[in-house]
Amino acid sequence: MVATTAPDIVRTADGVPLKQKLQRVERSRQLKAVGLVMPLLLFIILSFALPILTMLKNAIDDPEDISQVLPATMQALQSWNGQDIPDEAAFAALAADLKQAQKDKTAALVGKRLNYEISGIRSKVIASARKAEKLEAGPYKDAIIAMDPVWGERDTWATIKRADSPWTSFYLLAALDMQRDADNSLESVPAERSIYKTVFVRTFWIAFQVTLATLILGFPVAYLLAKLPTRYSNLLMIFVLLPFWTSLLVRTTAWFVLLQDNGLINEMIQLLHLSSEPVRLIFSRLGTIIAMTHIQLPFTLLPIYSVMKTISPSHVRAARSLGAGPFYAFWRVYFPQTVPGIAAGCLLTFILCLGYYITPALVGGATDQMVSNLVATAINQENNWGKASALGGILLAATLILYSVYNRLVGVDKMKFG
Amino acid sequence: MPMPAYATTPERAWYYAHRVIVAAILLFLIAPILVIMPLSFNSEPYFSYPMPGLSLRWYEDFFTNDRWTLALQNSIIVAVSVTLVSTALGTLAALGLSRPRFPARGLIMSLLISPIVVPVIISAVGMYFFYTRVGLTNSIPGVVLAHTALATPFVVITVTATLSGFDQTLTRAAASLGSNPVHSFFKITLPLILPGVISGGLFAFVTSFDEVVVVLFIASPEQRTLPKQMFSGIREMISPTITAAATLLILFAVAMLTTVELLRRRSERLRGIRS
């Protein structure tokens, strides 16, 4: 037996200890592997991740920096307790700033920025700046409040103080139908102005309904395909894979044509005397759900099918031979083994449904849009980048949380297409 | 799945009911495709049956109208470029990721795959802001760049899956016989994983060929693609030419599906998996 004491370490031909040499080889291998991935990694970061991060920055960027217009006021408000109306010093500073703003023609900027949070204040600020020119000497407090009572409100001053930062939580809060009150604490916006929460709830609800529909429709098909001999199942698989490979626009067009008031589905309904009036399918929630279910069905079905293919039929046979009824054997022995496939398929479908844009835009109702459509409207029609980015950021956060759950449960490399 | 001899009456009933239900669901899957194809031969500009007569006028419009020919041309240019770039980048990355003990593999893999799950509107808006700043909007290279980011994950997934069945001892044998890594990649690895690489490339092609949201945001009418033309067709004024375009795209999907299926079988044969 050879004693393996410290001086007898194994060395390679060039005298380097073997362990060290192996580590070196391993490191160079890893470096080469990283080198192969690096081009794509850099590409994805530059062309995909960076654009999204810059977009997210818009969500917290204060678009109008009024701390440059009201420097003295901001300074004076630093010591403000936020409870009472600020003291004479703050009003004197405001008077000086407004005079300067009137000269520089920057008062409108202040009005615009404050108007984001206090509607209707814009014209009051502009008018006050004009009047401020005539203010000769103090005391300013009563004089300014006399110009417009809005300056005697705590909320106005709290909003000005909050605007003293290049960042704002305004858009993100607005996207959740929240706002800050004069005490700087969060509150829900009044119900009549609350719109976004409804859209988020609607998006999740549609995604849930579509996922459930694809599961109910996909499970029996996957079950039959997994049990049939390969030559039949391959043939039937074409019915699943052909729609999967067909352009999304083609399928949406087809549904657009089918769902018309005088389309084929309504003709069938009339023919079968199910309804005398055409059923409203196009531009409705029902139409969106039908078209989305059709598009997502293969995504739910295929993972379930591939899990079912691996389940040994002898398990159910064993259960039956031990006296289990057909339904009991299926439910207690077969079904639990399909759960990983159901989780993989449903989770992927749910994640993809959250981001739907084209189908709701073309088939859905105008007042029944999903979050993605709201983002598009904010960009295309309202030109409100902050709002679009805040809505997009919340949608992205929800998607990424679900994606990490998917990653933990299924693993991204198990994602299968076709 | 033959019915066992001991099946009871409810079991028999369920056996047939199951088949009927599945047939109905498969019909639901295929119906939109079957319905839209005949409409493309309608002689009148209506989208309903019965059709008064047959005609090829919508196909003629598709191949002669500038709006459609330019869209088709742009789509092909973009999709072919995307396929080349994303197949190269994706295959290289998959080779690296398949090496044993790759550092932070899970994290990098989920970043590389994320373009599939991130809502496309978010990618589109982000790219719109960012590409405007660097002057890439309203240009074909910009669209290619954006589509490559969205398409490469499919190549990574497909090639990684193919490589998982690849016998690494083959490259080691090549190395022990004196072949350098590049040579053994082209002589040994690539021929064996080629079906997977081509499938990944076809996925990339289809992804780009079918993408519309990013194009809506970062491209001008000059760079309109086929899906964008269809989108505005449905949105603004629906012309039956869209059914001709749809039919051609369905035939294209059939060709793609057949190719991928043949490649999958070839890949299984090469790896000795035969069911």
Side-chain angles (χ1 to χ4, degrees):
Chain A
M1 202 179 106
V2 184
T4 49
T5 46
D8 300 355
I9 45 170
V10 190
R11 286 170 189 280
T12 57
D14 46 355
V16 186
L18 183 61
K19 198 177 167 192
Q20 214 177 327
K21 182 80 174 173
L22 281 173
Q23 273 174 350
R24 226 180 276 169
V25 172
E26 177 67 25
R27 219 175 10 245
S28 99
R29 272 206 194 133
Q30 283 201 349
L31 274 179
K32 273 182 203 158
V34 171
L36 288 170
V37 178
M38 214 31 98
L40 178 60
L41 192 61
L42 288 177
F43 179 85
I44 293 286
I45 288 174
L46 281 178
S47 68
F48 176 78
L50 203 58
I52 289 180
L53 289 178
T54 18
M55 179 201 85
L56 292 181
K57 203 177 134 273
N58 281 326
I60 51 168
D61 237 357
D62 207 328
E64 259 72 54
D65 189 5
I66 58 169
S67 59
Q68 306 297 318
V69 185
L70 304 174
T73 316
M74 294 297 187
Q75 183 75 36
L77 282 180
Q78 300 234 313
S79 55
W80 180 43
N81 65 7
Q83 289 308 316
D84 325 302
I85 307 301
D87 54 14
E88 173 64 21
F91 278 93
L94 179 69
D97 281 341
L98 283 180
K99 277 183 201 171
Q100 190 60 38
Q102 179 65 16
K103 230 177 270 169
D104 299 344
K105 299 189 169 46
T106 47
L109 193 72
V110 178
K112 184 178 171 199
R113 171 64 186 85
L114 295 182
N115 204 56
Y116 286 143
E117 298 185 53
I118 307 170
S119 54
I121 201 174
R122 192 168 177 276
S123 54
K124 294 177 189 168
V125 172
I126 294 170
S128 301
R130 204 167 47 237
K131 289 180 197 158
E133 263 195 320
K134 298 185 185 86
L135 286 178
E136 289 299 333
Y140 292 102
K141 188 169 177 173
D142 294 327
I144 289 182
I145 295 176
M147 275 173 358
D148 197 311
V150 79
W151 301 110
E153 278 166 33
R154 197 155 64 97
D155 202 19
T156 313
W157 291 95
T159 310
I160 294 177
K161 190 175 180 181
R162 269 205 306 277
D164 184 22
S165 150
W167 311 110
T168 175
S169 56
F170 167 71
Y171 291 116
L172 280 173
L173 292 176
L176 292 168
D177 287 333
M178 307 270 269
Q179 62 187 19
R180 289 187 186 278
D181 62 12
D183 295 323
N184 217 11
S185 50
L186 298 176
E187 61 174 17
S188 298
V189 300
E192 70 274 8
R193 284 204 290 131
S194 147
I195 30 176
Y196 303 120
K197 224 183 272 169
T198 329
V199 182
F200 277 106
V201 170
R202 180 193 299 149
T203 304
F204 274 84
W205 178 232
I206 291 179
F208 175 78
Q209 285 172 302
V210 172
T211 309
L212 192 66
T214 58
L215 177 62
I216 292 170
L217 297 180
F219 193 89
V221 178
Y223 185 59
L224 185 69
L225 288 179
K227 291 200 140 192
L228 282 177
T230 319
R231 60 176 187 282
Y232 295 120
S233 66
N234 275 348
L235 207 64
L236 290 180
M237 204 49 154
I238 295 174
F239 286 82
V240 180
L241 289 179
L242 183 58
F244 187 69
W245 276 91
T246 305
S247 160
L248 183 93
L249 256 298
V250 170
R251 284 181 281 167
T252 307
T253 311
W255 282 112
F256 187 83
V257 169
L258 275 170
L259 298 171
Q260 298 282 327
D261 284 348
N262 54 358
L264 202 67
I265 294 181
N266 263 316
E267 276 178 28
M268 299 261 265
I269 290 174
Q270 312 252 321
L271 210 69
L272 298 171
H273 297 287
L274 294 175
S275 161
S276 51
E277 294 285 301
V279 181
R280 190 83 181 133
L281 292 168
I282 190 86
F283 307 133
S284 78
R285 174 78 62 89
L286 185 60
T288 311
I289 288 179
I290 292 175
M292 281 176 71
T293 302
H294 179 256
I295 293 165
Q296 283 303 128
L297 188 48
F299 286 93
T300 309
L301 192 157
L302 291 171
I304 299 177
Y305 169 74
S306 56
V307 166
M308 282 175 169
K309 282 296 262 190
T310 65
I311 299 174
S312 163
S314 57
H315 296 169
V316 171
R317 251 181 266 146
R320 294 299 305 274
S321 78
L322 291 168
F327 178 75
Y328 190 82
F330 169 81
W331 184 245
R332 294 300 295 269
V333 177
Y334 191 86
F335 181 76
Q337 302 187 64
T338 63
V339 170
I342 294 177
C346 288
L347 209 49
L348 185 63
T349 287
F350 191 82
I351 294 173
L352 295 177
C353 281
L354 288 183
Y356 258 65
Y357 168 63
I358 293 295
T359 311
L362 293 178
V363 182
T367 55
D368 198 40
Q369 300 286 299
M370 295 173 75
V371 179
S372 288
N373 307 87
L374 219 58
V375 175
T377 314
I379 294 279
N380 293 334
Q381 285 161 35
E382 301 162 17
N383 214 357
N384 189 338
W385 290 21
K387 179 179 159 188
S389 305
L391 288 169
I394 294 167
L395 179 64
L396 182 65
T399 309
L400 290 184
I401 290 169
L402 288 167
Y403 179 49
S404 68
V405 173
Y406 180 87
N407 203 352
R408 185 68 57 85
L409 283 181
V410 189
V412 275
D413 18 3
K414 301 286 185 311
M415 218 182 256
K416 264 197 188 141
F417 302 95
Chain B
M1 182 172 70
M3 212 175 349
Y6 52 78
T8 56
T9 318
E11 277 179 83
R12 277 165 206 281
W14 170 243
Y15 177 89
Y16 292 110
H18 183 204
R19 266 143 218 260
V20 172
I21 293 168
V22 169
I25 298 169
L26 292 179
L27 184 69
F28 164 71
L29 272 168
I30 209 81
I33 292 172
L34 293 184
V35 165
I36 197 143
M37 285 208 283
L39 283 177
S40 66
F41 298 102
N42 199 345
S43 59
E44 297 302 319
Y46 303 127
F47 294 100
S48 52
Y49 291 96
M51 299 191 292
L54 296 178
S55 132
L56 285 175
R57 57 190 278 210
W58 312 118
Y59 288 89
E60 191 197 337
D61 187 48
F62 179 81
F63 286 110
T64 52
N65 190 325
D66 280 349
R67 269 190 297 191
W68 289 96
T69 50
L70 179 67
L72 180 63
Q73 190 192 326
N74 282 335
S75 275
I76 291 174
I77 292 173
V78 170
V80 168
S81 320
V82 168
T83 308
L84 295 177
V85 181
S86 62
T87 309
L89 286 175
T91 306
L92 276 184
L95 284 169
L97 287 165
S98 303
R99 297 278 173 89
R101 290 182 296 282
F102 188 89
R105 185 176 185 277
L107 193 70
I108 293 180
M109 190 81 174
S110 41
L111 175 65
L112 295 182
I113 304 298
S114 61
I116 294 183
V117 290
V118 168
V120 65
I121 190 83
I122 294 174
S123 316
V125 171
M127 285 165 173
Y128 169 65
F129 290 153
F130 193 75
Y131 289 16
T132 311
R133 223 178 285 174
V134 295
L136 273 168
T137 37
N138 303 341
S139 74
I140 292 279
V143 180
V144 171
L145 210 62
H147 279 185
T148 305
L150 299 181
T152 316
F154 293 97
V155 182
V156 175
I157 289 175
T158 317
V159 180
T160 310
T162 315
L163 278 169
S164 71
F166 177 74
D167 188 355
Q168 295 288 348
T169 51
L170 293 174
T171 48
R172 251 175 268 151
S176 78
L177 293 168
S179 159
N180 70 40
V182 175
H183 189 251
S184 64
F185 170 74
F186 282 106
K187 281 289 181 189
I188 312 287
T189 314
L190 188 60
L192 283 170
I193 64 165
L194 196 60
V197 174
I198 297 177
S199 298
L202 291 178
F203 270 116
F205 186 93
V206 169
T207 307
S208 164
F209 207 62
D210 197 17
E211 205 292 322
V212 60
V213 184
V214 170
V215 177
L216 284 174
F217 274 85
I218 71 167
S220 69
E222 278 303 297
Q223 291 93 40
R224 67 167 165 272
T225 57
L226 220 41
K228 186 184 176 181
Q229 180 61 31
M230 294 179 81
F231 181 82
S232 38
I234 303 176
R235 259 274 162 102
E236 288 141 25
M237 167 203 65
I238 185 155
S239 133
T241 311
I242 207 168
T243 59
T247 306
L248 292 169
L249 285 175
I250 291 167
L251 293 180
F252 176 73
V254 171
M256 285 286 175
L257 172 60
T258 316
T259 317
V260 169
E261 192 56 25
L262 291 175
L263 285 169
R264 191 177 64 80
R265 288 191 191 170
R266 184 178 154 73
S267 165
E268 285 180 353
R269 210 168 50 238
L270 283 176
R271 288 189 280 152
I273 310 166
R274 204 71 204 103
S275 51

